[in-house]
Amino acid sequence: MSTSVKKKPGTDLEIAQSADLRHVRDVASSVGIPEDSLEMYGKYKAKLPLDLIDEKKVAQSNLILVTAMTPTPAGEGKTTTSIGLTEGLNRIGKLTTVVLREPSLGPVFGMKGGAAGGGYSQVVPMEDINLHFTGDFAAIEKANNLLAAMIDNNIQSAKNNLGIDPRTVEWKRVMDMNDRSLRNIVSGMGGKAGGMMRETGFNITAASEIMAILCLARNMDDLKAKIGNIYIGDTYQGEAVFARDIKAEGAMAVLLKDAIKPNLVQTLEGNPAILHGGPFANIAQGTNSVIATKMGMSLSDYVVTEAGFGADLGAEKFLNIKCGYSGLSPKTIVVVATIRALKYHGGQPLAELKEPDTVSLSKGLLNLEKHLENTKTYGVPAVVAINKFISDTDEEISLVKKRCEALGIRVALCEGWEHGGEGTRELAEQVVASVESFKGKYSPVYDWNWGVKEKIEAVARKIYGARDVEFLPKAKQNLKKIERIGLNDKPICIAKTQNSFSDDPKWLGRPENFTLTVREIEIAAGAGFCIPITGNMLRMPGLPALPAAEGMDIDNNGKITGLS
Amino acid sequence: MSTSVKKKPGTDLEIAQSADLRHVRDVASSVGIPEDSLEMYGKYKAKLPLDLIDEKKVAQSNLILVTAMTPTPAGEGKTTTSIGLTEGLNRIGKLTTVVLREPSLGPVFGMKGGAAGGGYSQVVPMEDINLHFTGDFAAIEKANNLLAAMIDNNIQSAKNNLGIDPRTVEWKRVMDMNDRSLRNIVSGMGGKAGGMMRETGFNITAASEIMAILCLARNMDDLKAKIGNIYIGDTYQGEAVFARDIKAEGAMAVLLKDAIKPNLVQTLEGNPAILHGGPFANIAQGTNSVIATKMGMSLSDYVVTEAGFGADLGAEKFLNIKCGYSGLSPKTIVVVATIRALKYHGGQPLAELKEPDTVSLSKGLLNLEKHLENTKTYGVPAVVAINKFISDTDEEISLVKKRCEALGIRVALCEGWEHGGEGTRELAEQVVASVESFKGKYSPVYDWNWGVKEKIEAVARKIYGARDVEFLPKAKQNLKKIERIGLNDKPICIAKTQNSFSDDPKWLGRPENFTLTVREIEIAAGAGFCIPITGNMLRMPGLPALPAAEGMDIDNNGKITGLS
């Protein structure tokens, strides 16, 4: 995501293209990986074998989670801050790897653009990372769609037929493309040879349950077991059917033979970066794979990682789902804040955020404060990173710093976008001090053994600040199904707007005394969580009237322009 | 394709997995490519930069086209013969590269299996080649589907709208999966936000026009120009709309930045193999890319390549389309025949082909003879390769050899499946003798400047042996459209069954005095040919009742089983 309001020293692509990259074998060697262990994809990308994961080293390494206050529509620069902080930590002598999600291809051609950081805090090679990369998304897409083809084929064939009721099939196909016309389709037309006609649709690949599964799996056996547990739909007799019932998990895992391996690239300053997986942050856990995080921790003393959306979604899921499944625990939570977002939450209109406004800023700090209270609930120390924009005034910055200091929270300016690692030394020092002060482990918000309703209520009250939770009739029905399928003891993954603590995207600041409405509860039996839905979740974006694709080009020498 | 009637010395996968592979840098070095020019994808695959193509060397190298008599439903082993012949040529001291299509992923999970040769004539690493490989198909799929999304987005948006009539859009989406339920769909449902509702469907990726284009392009600029020429549909005013009109070609080419580069792997005996592209052999040219063929010819003295289906389709299109566009010309055409197929064309039932039957064999030779007459029409010397099966008797083999000798055609047994290069020395010697005897260039069957009807009639009469050609009303309409769009001077790519010289798949042997019926003529304005359709072309396969996928597995060490 590009923080485009700053005066740019060139586009992200131009900065990335002018970088002098290290050969990936040298990046690998800097964290002790011999060349023979690498599966190189060209000179600047490599897949890492899972046997480099060393649980002893994982236990000794320091995990730092980067999350954010409630964002403006443009986002507050978590990826840029994560990369910048990694440069800074390496500059002050801490061997650090940044571990991030891989970007989704679809949005690159729409409005949002790529997702490899911005300015002088990027991971490179930028074009490759944003375009196909090492094929992980394509493999996930294929595994997802093989299951879909096998389901429809089972419905079609007289032999081998499990009696799946086509009206109950919830498994959708996926495509990594912003293509609204595929959201809702009728498939299986053209008579008997063309399959059984039914309503279905496509999601974008990042929304596939296979993506969520890949990012929670420990190894290939675990991946296969989780895939086998995917809930497909019901038989005409009302019995649940799983992927294992149509013997799909072996072939699907075969398709993921390389996608399970994390990808090594580098930051602009040549430090190691591992990118792996990219699940949605609303209907899924929104953070890179357990395998990648453990890989980074096996290779370096510090790992900086990131979770999608604000801390109410990203940090909560990171801790209660990812850490719950993997045994990981961050030593510090970096909460990214911007003067812009703070003023926005204090009532300054979006179009006027460049104007100084300490009144709005003061009010908006209530949003940040709630996120910081939450980090205390988790029992993990927080550091506030003020991601600096050119429009920020000294007075505004000072006001935020003072408030944080009054709360006893470490705070630092982050100027990674403009200055790379030189702009994040202060932040890096604060993070190291915070990490060294903490020897404990995070406290979960709920016990997985509680009832699903209790778990939802715990997150809504303790993290969102809701007064109570209303379950609509469909959600109540879903609770029975969850019980029937035996998913009561799984963590929950609440799908909620990222623009507010509440389920109303317009309610900025620090909402209080609200009711969270749970419309329905979806099942991700393979990934191992239930998904309470509190709003309309768009899982297949569309292209804007003027798609970014129209401005892209490549010349006869392979030089790309128009990518952002 | 595996020639499964022989006694197997292990499955293809087991043979491939037990092979001792050379590092791809050593394979590259054997044909003079420095390591620094390689883009490695792991240790055994690499992409080759286009600047290794040297037109002077291309002009000096010897191109051998492997094609076949009219096949049985199981196929006659062209790929296996091509690989075996390459091993044999290298054994007799000729530096030879085999240049082939990449396999399609979809059929791997259905019935057909992979496509990397068979027995002791395979290209390796077999699992990687059959599964994702270096991502070319995925990239082609994305480029195809980006255009589809941009078309529907243009129809959706009020801004920028070209007035495309959704009822005329012929561009389909693609997916490399055997998924019959996607053949015919209604997209754009769910109200205004979900796009304009219309009938459409998915083809398998190998059937995408992007695939045909990639395989005819000379370089990135040419690729982009061809993509821009893709015909999309018409406006409400009846004007043709092309991909360039919605400014799609730049972004689509960006998606193909790596897919345009050919892939280097190796044969089981460690000789260089280049795999690139994989267009259908009915609605497209059915052979690997011009870039790959020229790359092979730049690197070695001999190149063995292959064209899909029998010689009536594969060789004809290879010469009149691929050679016509690229200036290439084969020095010898190897026609693969099997005793099985010869008996089948002489009337022996499919289930009895293991039984000796010289009567059917004699009759069936008429099919082979017609193919050999055709090679004379092209003016290129032929060598018949008898791809040996265990059920073949000495008497049968001797009968075929005698008939070929009587016709003045070189002939040799090919035992590459069982013995690798040791089993193809005789064939290799014959091929070298043939190549050394020929200094000319092929003669095209038609002049591109003839009318479309005349071009179709020329192929039908001279190559298929038809008496005349009937054009159904839709085909006549299409002729007018071709004229209107200005595609009169393009070559033609007839879509016809591979099971007969005629358009009736049941008419075996050497059909005569038949009428070829052209139902319609499609347009591949980007690839640069028209496609007269003479039958029902299935462009999206389905899975069988017991898909191969059900028997596949991968263990925690990444070892794959059940792939064929």
Side-chain angles (χ1 to χ4, degrees), chain B residues 31 76 89 94 115 133 169 182 244 305 321 332 336 381 386 407 419 458 460 468 476:
Chain B
V31 286
E76 306 321 306
L89 284 164
K94 302 293 180 187
F133 198 26
V169 175
L182 292 179
R244 58 179 175 264
T305 191
I321 300 175
T332 284
V336 178
I386 306 172
L407 293 166
H419 301 298
D468 45 43
K476 288 182 185 163

Side-chain angles (χ1 to χ4, degrees), chain B residues 255-269:
Chain B
L255 280 168
L256 298 169
K257 70 184 179 69
D258 298 313
I260 196 174
K261 299 175 194 161
N263 308 290
L264 179 68
V265 289
Q266 64 191 289
T267 64
L268 278 178
E269 297 180 9

Side-chain angles (χ1 to χ4, degrees), chain A residues 556, chain B residues 213 216-227:
Chain A
N556 223 10
Chain B
I213 288 173
L216 286 172
R218 289 187 308 273
N219 52 41
M220 185 53 86
D221 281 346
D222 189 36
L223 179 78
K224 221 160 45 180
K226 284 179 159 64
I227 290 175

Side-chain angles (χ1 to χ4, degrees), chain A residues 24 41-42 44-47 100-105 115-116 123-138 176 259 261-266 273-278, chain B residues 39 41 47 133-135 138-139 255 257-258:
Chain A
V24 69
Y41 282 58
Y44 309 111
K45 298 167 285 177
K47 284 213 164 265
L100 298 169
R101 285 176 287 174
E102 305 176 45
S104 175
L105 186 70
V123 284
V124 280
M126 186 265 210
E127 301 99 311
D128 287 16
I129 290 170
N130 281 313
L131 299 164
H132 310 305
F133 199 26
T134 57
D136 295 343
F137 274 48
D176 196 4
K261 300 173 194 162
N263 307 289
L264 179 68
V265 288
Q266 64 192 286
I274 295 176
L275 312 189
H276 197 217
Chain B
E39 278 180 55
Y41 282 59
K47 285 214 164 263
F133 198 26
T134 57
L255 280 168
K257 70 184 179 69
D258 298 313

Side-chain angles (χ1 to χ4, degrees), chain B residues 85-127:
Chain B
L85 172 58
T86 301
E87 312 283 37
L89 284 164
N90 278 292
R91 279 190 187 229
I92 65 168
K94 302 293 180 187
L95 183 62
T96 307
T97 301
V98 65
V99 182
L100 299 168
R101 283 176 288 174
E102 306 175 46
S104 173
L105 186 72
V108 167
F109 298 98
M111 203 149 52
K112 185 173 168 288
Y120 287 90
S121 288
Q122 293 189 56
V123 284
V124 281
M126 186 267 210
E127 301 99 312

Side-chain angles (χ1 to χ4, degrees), chain A residues 40 42 128 132 224 257 554, chain B residues 40 42 128 224 255 257 554:
Chain A
M40 282 186 244
D128 287 16
H132 310 305
K224 221 159 45 179
K257 71 183 177 71
I554 179 170
Chain B
M40 283 188 247
D128 287 16
K224 221 160 45 180
L255 280 168
K257 70 184 179 69
I554 179 169

Side-chain angles (χ1 to χ4, degrees), chain B residues 8-58:
Chain B
K8 287 205 173 189
T11 65
D12 289 352
L13 179 60
E14 284 161 7
I15 294 171
Q17 284 178 339
S18 66
D20 196 13
L21 271 62
R22 301 169 76 183
H23 197 290
V24 70
R25 86 165 75 87
D26 300 328
V27 179
S29 146
S30 74
V31 286
I33 308 173
E35 181 173 350
D36 199 52
S37 290
L38 294 178
E39 278 180 55
M40 283 188 247
Y41 282 59
K43 297 185 180 74
Y44 308 112
K45 299 166 285 177
K47 285 214 164 263
L48 302 177
L50 268 54
D51 59 15
L52 291 175
I53 293 175
D54 179 338
E55 292 289 349
K56 263 192 205 159
K57 290 187 183 161
V58 171

